[in-house]
Amino acid sequence: PLAKSFFCPSKLSHRMTASISTAGSDKAIEDPYTWLEEVESPESLEFAKSANDACLDALGNPETSNTGTYSKVLSVLESDDRIAYVGKYGINGQGETMMYNFWKDSNNPKGLWRKTTFESYKSDEPVWETVLDLDALAEKDGISWVYKGSSKLSRSLDPLSNSMGEGSDMFTRALLNLSRGGADAVHIKEFDLIKEDFVSEDEGGFILPEAKTRASYKSRDVLHVGSDFGEGSLTDSGYPRVIKEWVRGTKIEDAPIVFEGEASDVSVSVGINDQRRRNGPIYESRSRALTFYTTKRWVRRVQYEHLLAPNDPKREGIEEPEDFKEVDVQEDASVSYVGKRMMISLRSDWEPVPGGQTYKAGSLLDTDADAFLTKGKESVEYSVLFEPTERTAYDGYTCTKNYLILSTMDNVKSKLSFYKIGDDGFTYVGGDKEAQILDSSASPIDSTDSDEIWLYTSGYTQPSALSLGDASKAVTDSGEDSKQSYHLEDLKSLPAMYDTTDLVVTQKFATSKDGTEIPYFVISKKGIALDGNNPTLLYGYGGFEISLGPKYIATVGLAWLERGGVYVEANIRGGGEFGPTWHQAGLKANRHKIYEDFIAVGEDLCSSKICKPATLAARGGSNGGLLMGMMYVMRPDLFGAIHCAVPLLDMKRFHTLLAGASWMAEYGDPDSSDWDDFLHKYSPYHLIDESVDKYPPMLVTTSTRDDRVHPAHARKMVKKLWDLGKDKDWPIYYYENIEGGHGGAADAKQSAFMTSLAYDFMFDTLSKGKSA
């Protein structure tokens, strides 16, 4: 994803032609296609529908194609063999540990929210009970609901968590996020997990209308809510600028504002972090995201009673909480709390004591939270849990009741390390000895009550698997790898969804224009002919510190590898594969390095004779769609086909469309000198060259309901190409899904349709480029 899902769509008058002043000059850029920015105007929708018809006329309907790709992909997406991942919701009145899961299949395309006991879940055939049927709800409400997750009331903050009987401890309330057609904007409805029904307004239920709302429980009867409350309540980026504290039984309109930022901020947020079970306090935090990567933070320590409604009798006689204190760290650092410890993740070098030690960008530090907040950053000691090298990177941490699990990457390979949590810091106890070409991660089953963990593994050719582990058993003896010690039992495994016979995974390196080595993974048949005739798909993203790495993607296997294709993922700069410096190397004026990296990988594939330009396809979505647009205009000679999905393409107006203003920290500000200095070089919409006789075939796809990256990026690019490319060899195809949100599809059938349309287009096009 490009950004968090909150925005304020701008309303543009139909068929308006924008005259955009160019920073630093008197020249204006005329844009005759801004009428396509009206998302659901009759003219825009007619454009999309006629383009869809033309696309299917030219490429064929995937549902009826003789390739069979659609049915294969759909069978995977709806397969009962998929792993049903669960979350623990607590212990019921019978002493049973209850696991919840959200499940979609051919009979339930919208999905079922369902539950089972832990013992049943561990069996081959779990017995499920339905909690909420989204298909039935959609039919009842007459709305194409898409489930967008839930926010639960923490058991430690819920006096009724034991309401199911002695020994019970269950989540009792949740805020459900329901989207129309897959958009980021959601309706929020409170759900009673004991009665398994929505809490009505008459019962004091929390219900909020459609908006890009952030809502979470402060306590059972109090919510923190950020939303569109009217004029001035949103930032320029369209995210919440103010946070209200909403007490049950009152109107949201009357709820007081408890925190607010500036209109120029990206967003504001608040949070409650209860660390009492790790011998710490309850932390109440507030933050202003100044840009996508910089944040101002405040925090205070509170008692449980401070989280209750102001008129709650339990607050009588309780002193007011301490004042919020600003967290004095660099604005580009991340801060969190574990027990009594403050965790600081650095994105740039930090020298907390002038003239003292400098901690490297990409490091994870910890220190005593109370001492930091009372004495200041210069008066505490810091421990370094992780310090990066040129080819290693911090990838996050998670905690069980007593252990911190550190995830790192070594040359884009996964590694887990385990630390015992203490009041005075963390003690290393064991972990993986070597990193693997594998996606390996862990998460707590119950972070407050146990050290049991879920273990997830997945590889390019290794089906996803779920195992049960125990962090307390991660002890390294005699230098041996301790994976088997913390691994308890295998629980679930995805069967092989495609034929991996003779497939091999290889990590290679290409040299970019500035001499930087760019890693990439190649998945292919063993011993393929190096004759340039292998249909090769090169995938990339290159932005927002998002890493690519080994994961089992059955759709790639079925739609590409089984057909004899070669699949490649490029770990180009802009991502997070080697920490924040790898990302920052491609920001703003340096963005050309990202595109040069991708080109270097493409050229390396051709020079090694794996493929040639006529048999090389490129694919990317969202920020990766911008990458595809740049490949189209920079190197039309290097690619035989391109799939550009839910893209950014107009970098002069991106900040005026939906959530675009929040991404200026990544790309730059088009209204400043950034446009003349560098941004105009990275705006595919403005770089179409009428003198080019031949551009490669390109399929552009998006969604009408994408309220994160505006569909106008795709619409305008295609319309401009059609208008300028008359009588030229510029084959361009466009398909806009009427539902789907930023993911491009709202259910399995739509997802299978969009996937098979893209893969069939690329494979068929490259097949024509093979040498006789």
Side-chain angles (χ1 to χ4, degrees):
L2 266 173
K4 297 171 185 175
S5 50
F6 301 90
F7 75 102
C8 178
S10 57
K11 296 294 183 182
L12 300 172
S13 58
H14 175 57
R15 295 226 177 247
M16 177 183 72
T17 297
S19 179
I20 306 166
S21 295
T22 304
S25 73
D26 296 327
K27 185 172 63 177
I29 301 174
E30 294 295 331
D31 187 352
Y33 302 108
T34 52
W35 58 276
L36 288 166
E37 294 173 6
E38 282 278 14
V39 176
E40 294 183 320
S41 71
E43 290 81 0
S44 290
L45 292 178
E46 177 56 33
F47 168 82
K49 290 173 183 175
S50 63
N52 289 355
D53 292 340
C55 178
L56 298 186
D57 285 344
L59 303 181
N61 188 327
E63 294 179 2
T64 57
S65 169
N66 59 13
T67 65
T69 307
Y70 171 80
S71 59
K72 290 179 182 179
V73 171
L74 182 61
S75 69
V76 165
L77 296 178
E78 294 184 335
S79 171
D80 289 337
D81 292 328
R82 285 171 293 138
I83 298 174
Y85 294 103
V86 296
K88 178 182 172 182
Y89 275 48
I91 299 173
N92 66 14
Q94 289 74 49
E96 299 168 314
T97 299
M98 300 305 299
M99 298 292 179
Y100 282 57
N101 159 263
F102 189 78
W103 182 259
K104 294 181 181 181
D105 57 26
S106 57
N107 295 320
N108 307 278
K110 298 292 182 190
L112 294 174
W113 204 17
R114 57 186 190 170
K115 66 181 181 181
T116 190
T117 67
F118 194 17
E119 290 305 310
S120 178
Y121 178 70
K122 289 190 284 187
S123 70
D124 291 336
E125 298 290 338
V127 177
W128 295 99
E129 296 179 53
T130 298
V131 176
L132 179 65
D133 184 332
L134 264 291
D135 292 274
L137 181 67
E139 183 176 357
K140 172 177 169 287
D141 294 346
I143 298 174
S144 180
W145 289 126
V146 174
Y147 178 69
K148 288 282 188 172
S150 64
S151 175
K152 299 180 290 295
L153 168 63
S154 171
R155 301 197 310 271
S156 68
L157 302 178
D158 183 5
L160 299 182
S161 65
N162 62 355
S163 60
M164 295 188 73
E166 185 177 352
S168 66
D169 185 19
M170 286 287 296
F171 288 123
T172 67
R173 291 288 172 93
L175 302 172
L176 265 61
N177 300 313
L178 301 173
S179 157
R180 284 190 306 121
D184 283 342
V186 295
H187 294 255
I188 291 182
K189 299 183 178 184
E190 189 175 28
F191 194 82
D192 188 321
L193 287 159
I194 306 303
K195 296 179 180 178
E196 297 183 351
D197 200 1
F198 290 103
V199 185
S200 69
E201 284 189 290
D202 292 341
E203 299 172 297
F206 291 119
I207 300 173
L208 291 164
E210 183 178 67
K212 284 198 166 184
T213 301
R214 291 173 174 164
S216 61
Y217 288 97
K218 183 178 182 182
S219 58
R220 183 177 178 87
D221 295 320
V222 184
L223 290 191
H224 282 139
V225 182
S227 189
D228 185 354
F229 299 121
E231 185 176 356
S233 64
L234 299 175
T235 66
D236 296 339
S237 298
Y239 298 165
R241 189 190 68 80
V242 301
I243 302 293
K244 288 190 171 190
E245 192 168 287
W246 186 18
V247 176
R248 191 182 302 279
T250 65
K251 295 181 179 180
I252 185 65
E253 294 82 4
D254 298 331
I257 292 173
V258 294
F259 183 59
E260 57 186 308
E262 302 293 335
S264 57
D265 293 345
V266 172
S267 65
V268 299
S269 60
V270 298
I272 304 296
N273 184 351
D274 187 354
Q275 289 293 320
R276 288 177 294 174
R277 295 195 186 187
R278 295 193 186 99
N279 206 27
I282 301 174
Y283 297 96
E284 183 178 7
S285 60
R286 295 175 174 179
S287 63
R288 289 173 49 203
L290 308 180
T291 70
F292 205 86
Y293 303 111
T294 57
T295 301
K296 279 186 175 293
R297 295 177 171 85
W298 296 262
V299 70
R300 67 180 177 183
R301 287 139 310 175
V302 298
Q303 298 175 223
Y304 165 74
E305 290 80 8
H306 295 140
L307 306 179
L308 304 175
N311 61 352
D312 193 300
K314 294 187 181 68
R315 291 194 67 158
E316 291 183 12
I318 302 296
E319 292 185 7
E320 288 300 303
E322 64 186 26
D323 293 336
F324 280 94
K325 297 178 181 178
E326 185 168 356
V327 182
D328 189 13
V329 298
Q330 295 182 139
E331 291 176 351
D332 64 352
S334 296
V335 176
S336 53
Y337 302 91
V338 176
K340 293 184 175 182
R341 308 299 291 178
M342 175 187 289
M343 316 298 295
I344 305 170
S345 174
L346 300 178
R347 300 190 74 254
S348 59
D349 290 350
W350 187 42
E351 185 182 286
V353 180
Q357 182 175 351
T358 297
Y359 298 97
K360 287 177 60 175
S363 296
L364 177 65
L365 314 179
D366 75 277
T367 189
D368 183 279
D370 180 73
F372 185 99
L373 295 172
T374 55
K375 299 178 182 178
K377 66 182 180 183
E378 299 179 9
S379 303
V380 297
E381 293 183 0
Y382 300 90
S383 298
V384 181
L385 271 180
F386 176 79
E387 182 176 88
T389 64
E390 186 178 348
R391 288 282 147 169
T392 61
Y394 166 65
D395 196 36
Y397 76 83
T398 190
C399 291
T400 66
K401 182 180 181 182
N402 298 299
Y403 292 86
L404 178 144
I405 306 171
L406 178 68
S407 176
T408 57
M409 289 189 294
D410 186 346
N411 246 337
V412 204
K413 302 169 188 175
S414 299
K415 186 176 180 180
L416 297 178
S417 303
F418 293 76
Y419 295 80
K420 183 71 182 291
I421 300 171
D423 290 351
D424 299 323
F426 302 89
T427 304
Y428 176 76
V429 295
D432 301 336
K433 187 178 180 183
E434 300 290 340
Q436 309 169 65
I437 301 182
L438 194 72
D439 180 48
S440 177
S441 60
S443 68
I445 292 178
D446 187 331
S447 64
T448 58
D449 285 339
S450 126
D451 291 320
E452 287 188 318
I453 52 177
W454 302 118
L455 296 170
Y456 312 94
T457 56
S458 177
Y460 285 119
T461 59
Q462 178 179 324
S464 304
L466 175 67
S467 302
L468 179 64
D470 188 334
S472 69
K473 299 185 182 302
V475 179
T476 303
D477 296 318
S478 305
E480 295 295 321
D481 187 277
S482 66
K483 181 174 182 180
Q484 294 307 312
S485 67
Y486 66 77
H487 176 276
L488 296 183
E489 62 177 303
D490 296 329
L491 292 181
K492 312 285 180 182
S493 179
L494 192 69
M497 307 301 283
Y498 65 94
D499 184 7
T500 60
T501 304
D502 292 331
L503 282 181
V504 292
V505 180
T506 309
Q507 187 178 37
K508 295 178 176 289
F509 295 87
T511 302
S512 195
K513 186 176 181 180
D514 65 359
T516 302
E517 278 199 335
I518 309 302
Y520 64 96
F521 288 102
V522 179
I523 303 92
S524 66
K525 286 285 188 182
K526 188 185 301 182
I528 58 170
L530 298 179
D531 58 4
N533 282 328
N534 302 290
T536 302
L537 173 55
L538 175 57
Y539 179 81
Y541 187 79
F544 294 89
E545 210 170 329
I546 292 173
S547 302
L548 301 183
K551 285 183 176 61
Y552 189 75
I553 309 175
T555 51
V556 171
L558 286 169
W560 198 261
L561 293 170
E562 270 196 352
R563 299 161 86 171
V566 176
Y567 179 70
V568 182
E569 281 191 352
N571 303 115
I572 57 181
R573 282 174 284 188
E577 287 87 347
F578 300 112
T581 55
W582 193 250
H583 166 241
Q584 292 159 9
L587 286 179
K588 296 185 178 180
N590 290 322
R591 202 152 200 89
H592 61 93
K593 294 181 180 180
I594 294 170
Y595 308 134
E596 290 164 1
D597 291 355
F598 196 81
I599 289 168
V601 175
E603 290 178 335
D604 202 52
L605 291 167
C606 292
S607 64
S608 64
K609 302 293 176 124
I610 290 176
C611 61
K612 58 189 176 184
T615 56
L616 175 60
R619 184 176 193 235
S622 191
N623 171 74
L626 172 60
L627 172 65
M628 294 302 102
M630 287 304 298
M631 294 304 99
Y632 184 80
V633 296
M634 285 178 72
R635 289 298 303 273
D637 61 311
L638 185 57
F639 301 98
I642 294 176
H643 176 213
C644 179
V646 290
L648 281 88
L649 294 166
D650 180 354
M651 302 307 288
K652 184 60 181 173
R653 287 179 59 76
F654 81 91
H655 63 314
T656 70
L657 301 172
L658 302 183
S662 65
W663 310 325
M664 289 192 289
E666 178 84 9
Y667 301 122
D669 181 357
D671 289 338
S672 73
S673 61
D674 289 354
W675 176 256
D676 278 348
D677 291 345
F678 56 85
L679 251 177
H680 72 278
K681 301 175 185 177
Y682 316 135
S683 184
Y685 180 61
H686 298 97
L687 295 175
I688 300 168
D689 187 350
E690 291 184 70
S691 69
V692 173
D693 292 326
K694 181 176 175 58
Y695 277 119
M698 181 165 68
L699 170 66
V700 181
T701 58
T702 191
S703 167
T704 308
R705 293 289 298 162
D706 188 343
D707 51 3
R708 195 178 313 174
V709 178
H710 201 296
H713 285 278
R715 292 171 175 175
K716 290 163 61 177
M717 181 78 169
V718 169
K719 183 68 169 71
K720 187 174 182 180
L721 284 168
W722 280 344
D723 288 349
L724 297 180
K726 291 175 181 176
D727 303 322
K728 290 186 173 69
D729 189 7
W730 293 6
I732 180 84
Y733 311 98
Y734 180 75
Y735 195 90
E736 180 174 320
N737 194 21
I738 304 304
E739 291 188 325
H742 190 51
D747 58 33
K749 287 184 171 62
Q750 289 180 19
S751 182
F753 181 94
M754 300 298 284
T755 299
S756 54
L757 176 68
Y759 279 96
D760 282 354
F761 156 71
M762 291 184 291
F763 200 88
D764 292 347
T765 303
L766 298 191
S767 296
K768 298 170 186 175
K770 289 184 178 182
S771 301

